[in-house]
C-alpha cells in the first residue's frame, strides 16, 4: 500500500514537472465590435466605418472578431450573450461600441438603432444599459475584459424637445466602476460629446485607437493614456478621453517580442502585479499623464500651430460657440478657458476694462491648471503693465513656469525680462541665442501682423 502511494506521488510530480516545463499556450483573444449608425432619428455616418477600422486592427493583433452593425435592442442583448457564451476559460475579451450613448438618472445606456425616445422615464425600457454588458462579461469565463465605448456623439434626436429628455443633447456617459479584471474606456469625458468625424473617413478616437493597437509592446493602460493625449491634442482639448481600470499586471494588445506566457498568470498579463492595481484616468486630473500632458511635449512647430489655432478660435467665436466654450471651461478645459480670455481681449468700445478683467480671470484659471499659453499671457500682462500694474516679480514667476514646458514665447519673454533687469553681456547673448532657436513666427511674440490690438 505504501509502495503504491509512493508510485502515485512520483507520477503526480512527474506530471506537474512536465506541465511546468511545457510552454504555456497563449490565451484566446476574442472581440465583439458593434457599429450603430442607422438611427431612426438620423444617421451617424462614421460609426460603421469606425467599427470596420477597429475590427481590422484587432484581427491584425490576433483577435477573433465578431463584427455587428445597426443592432436593435433585442439584437444587442443576443449578440452580447452569444459573445460571452463563446469565451473560453482564461480568454481576453474586448467589446468595442461605436454609436450613441447617454446617461439618465446616473445610469449609462448604449442606444440601439430602433430606439425612439419619448421621455427620460422610458429610456430604461428602450435602451441597452451598460451594466448589462459589464456584469455579463464579469460573470463569463474570460480573465481580462476590455470595454471601449466610442459613444456620446451628437444627438440624433434633436427634434425631441430637450426638456422632455433632460437636456438630452448635452448628456455624456457618467463615471463608473470597472469590475475586477476589467478596463472600461470612454471616448470622451462625462457631460461631453465626442466628434463623429464629420468630413473625415473615421472619428479621431477610432483612428487613433486603431493606430495604437498596431504598436507592439504597448501596455493597455499606457495605450489608453497615450490615446487620451493624442485625441486631446488633435481636438485641442475639445474631446477628452478617459478610462477606468481594475486590471492587475501588464496587459497587451500586441505583446513585446519574446514575451513568455505563464500558465499561472492572467492571460496577456505579467506575473508581477501592478503596484497600483486600480488606475483612474478622469477629467478632473488636469496635468497628469494621459490628461493635459500632451502640450508639454510639443516642439516649436507644434506650439506655433497651437498659438495660431487659439487666435483663430478666439476671433470666430459666436453666441453658440461661446456657450460651448463656457461649458467646457467650467469642466476645467484649459484651451477653452484661454480661448475665452483671448476673445475678451478683442472686446471693442466702452466695455474694454470689464473685458480685460474677464480675460485675466480666464487666463488665471488656465494658468493655475498649468497651461503655458495662459501663464505667458499673465506674465506678459505683469511685464508690460498692460492689464495689471507692472510687477516684474510676478511676471518672472509666470514666465519661468511656462518656459519649463519649452514654450517658445515664454522663453523669449523671459530672456527679454532678464536682459532688462540684468543688462549684462551674458543676458544679451542669452536673448540672441533664444531668438535664433525660435522660428521666425515667434520672433515678435506680443504683436503679429494683422493681429487685433489688445486693450491698454
Amino acid at each position: 500500500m505504501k509502495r503504491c502511494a509512493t508510485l502515485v506521488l512520483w507520477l503526480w510530480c512527474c506530471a506537474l514537472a512536465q506541465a511546468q516545463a511545457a510552454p504555456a499556450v497563449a490565451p484566446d483573444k476574442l472581440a465583439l465590435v458593434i457599429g450603430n449608425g442607422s438611427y431612426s432619428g438620423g444617421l451617424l455616418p462614421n460609426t460603421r466605418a469606425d467599427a470596420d477600422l477597429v475590427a481590422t486592427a484587432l484581427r491584425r493583433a490576433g483577435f477573433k472578431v465578431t463584427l455587428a452593425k445597426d443592432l436593435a435592442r433585442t439584437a444587442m442583448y443576443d449578440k452580447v450573450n452569444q459573445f460571452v457564451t463563446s469565451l473560453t476559460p482564461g480568454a481576453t475579451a474586448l467589446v468595442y461600441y461605436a454609436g450613441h450613448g447617454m446617461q439618465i438618472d446616473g445610469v449609462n445606456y448604449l442606444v440601439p438603432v430602433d430606439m425612439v425616445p419619448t421621455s427620460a422615464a422610458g429610456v430604461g425600457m428602450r435602451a441597452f444599459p451598460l451594466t448589462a454588458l459589464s456584469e455579463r462579461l464579469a460573470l463569463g469565463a474570460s480573465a481580462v475584459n476590455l470595454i471601449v465605448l466610442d459613444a456620446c456623439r451628437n444627438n440624433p434626436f434633436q427634434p425631441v424637445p430637450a426638456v422632455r429628455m433632460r437636456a438630452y443633447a448635452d448628456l455624456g456617459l457618467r463615471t463608473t466602476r470597472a469590475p475586477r479584471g476589467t478596463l472600461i474606456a470612454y471616448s470622451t469625458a462625462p457631460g461631453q460629446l465626442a466628434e463623429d468625424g464629420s468630413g473625415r473617413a473615421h472619428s479621431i478616437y477610432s483612428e487613433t485607437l486603431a493606430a495604437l493597437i498596431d504598436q507592439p509592446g504597448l501596455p493597455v493602460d499606457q495605450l489608453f493614456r497615450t490615446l487620451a493625449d493624442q485625441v486631446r491634442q488633435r481636438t485641442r482639448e475639445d474631446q477628452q478621453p478617459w478610462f477606468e481600470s481594475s486590471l492587475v499586471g501588464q496587459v497587451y494588445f500586441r505583446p513585446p517580442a519574446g514575451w513568455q506566457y505563464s500558465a499561472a498568470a492572467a492571460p496577456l498579463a505579467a506575473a508581477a502585479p501592478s503596484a497600483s492595481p486600480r488606475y483612474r484616468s478622469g477629467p478632473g486630473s488636469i496635468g497628469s499623464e494621459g490628461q493635459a500632458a500632451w502640450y508639454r511635449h510639443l516642439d516649436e512647430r507644434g506650439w506655433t500651430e497651437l498659438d495660431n489655432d487659439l487666435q483663430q478660435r478666439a476671433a470666430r467665436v459666436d453666441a453658440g460657440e461661446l456657450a460651448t466654450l463656457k461649458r467646457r471651461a467650467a469642466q476645467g478645459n484649459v484651451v477653452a478657458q484661454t480661448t475665452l480670455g483671448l476673445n475678451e481681449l478683442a472686446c471693442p468700445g466702452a466695455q474694454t476694462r470689464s473685458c480685460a478683467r474677464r480675460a485675466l480671470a480666464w487666463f488665471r484659471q488656465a494658468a493655475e491648471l498649468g497651461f503655458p499659453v495662459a501663464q505667458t499671457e499673465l506674465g506678459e500682462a505683469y511685464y508690460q503693465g498692460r492689464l495689471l500694474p507692472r510687477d516684474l516679480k510676478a511676471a518672472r514667476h509666470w514666465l519661468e513656469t511656462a518656459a519649463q514646458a519649452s514654450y517658445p514665447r515664454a522663453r523669449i519673454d523671459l530672456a527679454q525680462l532678464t536682459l532688462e533687469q540684468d543688462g549684462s553681456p551674458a543676458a544679451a547673448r542669452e536673448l540672441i541665442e533664444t531668438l535664433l532657436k525660435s522660428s521666425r513666427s515667434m520672433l515678435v511674440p506680443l504683436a503679429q501682423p494683422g493681429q487685433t490690438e489688445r486693450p491698454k
Side-chain angles (χ1 to χ4, degrees):
M1 188 74 178
K2 183 177 180 181
R3 185 181 305 166
C4 181
T6 302
L7 179 61
V8 170
L9 179 61
W10 179 78
L11 291 173
W12 180 82
C13 290
C14 289
L16 179 62
Q18 289 177 354
Q20 290 177 339
V25 178
D28 290 334
K29 298 189 291 184
L30 301 98
L32 171 62
V33 176
I34 300 173
N36 278 358
S38 295
Y39 288 95
S40 56
L43 178 68
L44 276 180
N46 282 346
T47 50
R48 291 170 295 183
D50 291 341
D52 287 334
L53 179 69
V54 172
T56 300
L58 290 171
R59 290 190 183 103
R60 288 196 297 264
F63 280 78
K64 178 182 178 182
V65 177
T66 299
L67 178 61
K69 300 178 183 178
D70 296 331
L71 298 183
R73 186 172 186 266
T74 300
M76 289 184 74
Y77 275 100
D78 290 342
K79 282 293 182 183
V80 167
N81 287 334
Q82 291 168 11
F83 176 70
V84 174
T85 301
S86 71
L87 296 176
T88 54
T92 293
L94 180 143
V95 177
Y96 169 86
Y97 170 82
H100 284 298
M102 61 180 179
Q103 61 99 353
I104 300 292
D105 294 332
V107 179
N108 289 333
Y109 295 94
L110 308 182
V111 182
V113 294
D114 62 343
M115 176 178 166
V116 179
T118 56
S119 68
V123 169
M125 299 296 295
R126 297 177 176 86
F128 183 88
L130 178 59
T131 54
L133 172 59
S134 60
E135 292 178 1
R136 186 73 178 88
L137 279 173
L139 295 173
S142 53
V144 173
N145 296 316
L146 309 174
I147 301 174
V148 183
L149 303 173
D150 192 0
C152 308
R153 302 183 183 205
N154 55 295
N155 176 17
F157 308 113
Q158 193 64 45
V160 178
V163 66
R164 295 178 62 191
M165 295 305 300
R166 301 186 184 182
Y168 180 75
D170 295 329
L171 290 179
L173 297 181
R174 69 184 291 271
T175 182
T176 187
R177 281 190 173 275
R180 183 170 177 81
T182 301
L183 178 145
I184 305 178
Y186 300 80
S187 61
T188 193
Q192 293 185 345
L193 301 180
E195 296 289 339
D196 185 48
S198 178
R200 303 172 49 87
H202 303 285
S203 75
I204 290 176
Y205 185 85
S206 66
E207 187 175 85
T208 308
L209 172 62
L212 290 173
I213 289 174
D214 282 337
Q215 294 187 17
L218 189 62
V220 164
D221 58 347
Q222 183 181 337
L223 182 149
F224 282 101
R225 291 189 191 105
T226 303
L227 175 62
D229 276 346
Q230 292 186 5
V231 172
R232 281 170 176 260
Q233 179 175 353
R234 293 179 67 181
T235 65
R236 300 306 193 205
E237 291 285 316
D238 288 347
Q239 186 173 334
Q240 302 176 7
W242 59 292
F243 69 92
E244 291 277 345
S245 176
S246 63
L247 297 177
V248 176
Q250 295 284 50
V251 179
Y252 297 91
F253 282 100
R254 289 172 172 264
W259 180 260
Q260 294 295 321
Y261 293 98
S262 170
L268 294 184
S274 168
S276 177
R278 182 170 180 80
Y279 176 85
R280 180 176 184 275
S281 172
S285 309
I286 299 298
S288 64
E289 185 179 8
Q291 296 302 305
W294 58 268
Y295 52 73
R296 295 194 172 275
H297 307 292
L298 292 177
D299 57 14
E300 183 111 0
R301 179 174 180 178
W303 279 117
T304 303
E305 291 174 351
L306 178 57
D307 277 333
N308 289 336
D309 284 351
L310 289 171
Q311 292 292 342
Q312 292 173 14
R313 286 187 175 202
R316 63 172 183 260
V317 171
D318 56 20
E321 178 70 7
L322 184 64
T324 299
L325 285 171
K326 287 183 176 180
R327 185 178 69 249
R328 290 172 178 163
Q331 296 169 336
N333 186 322
V334 293
V335 172
Q337 292 166 353
T338 305
T339 303
L340 287 167
L342 293 172
N343 178 255
E344 293 287 0
L345 288 183
C347 181
Q351 301 299 317
T352 298
R353 289 186 180 275
S354 61
C355 289
R357 285 195 296 270
R358 290 195 295 270
L360 286 171
W362 287 122
F363 290 146
R364 194 170 296 279
Q365 285 189 45
E368 290 174 351
L369 289 173
F371 193 44
V373 179
Q375 292 169 343
T376 302
E377 290 288 345
L378 271 184
E380 290 174 354
Y382 280 116
Y383 181 20
Q384 297 179 337
R386 173 165 44 88
L387 305 174
L388 293 165
R390 197 164 195 248
D391 185 338
L392 297 187
K393 182 178 179 180
R396 178 170 291 277
H397 165 72
W398 287 114
L399 292 175
E400 285 180 343
T401 304
Q404 290 175 5
S406 299
Y407 182 36
R409 198 170 113 204
R411 291 167 50 215
I412 292 173
D413 288 346
L414 185 60
Q416 290 175 337
L417 174 58
T418 300
L419 179 60
E420 178 178 328
Q421 292 182 310
D422 188 323
S424 66
R429 285 195 300 271
E430 177 66 23
L431 175 58
I432 293 172
E433 290 175 2
T434 302
L435 290 171
L436 290 175
K437 290 178 182 177
S438 299
S439 64
R440 294 179 63 86
S441 63
M442 302 299 295
L443 289 178
V444 187
L446 304 183
Q448 302 280 345
Q451 179 178 316
T452 303
E453 184 177 354
R454 296 179 177 180
K456 304 295 183 184

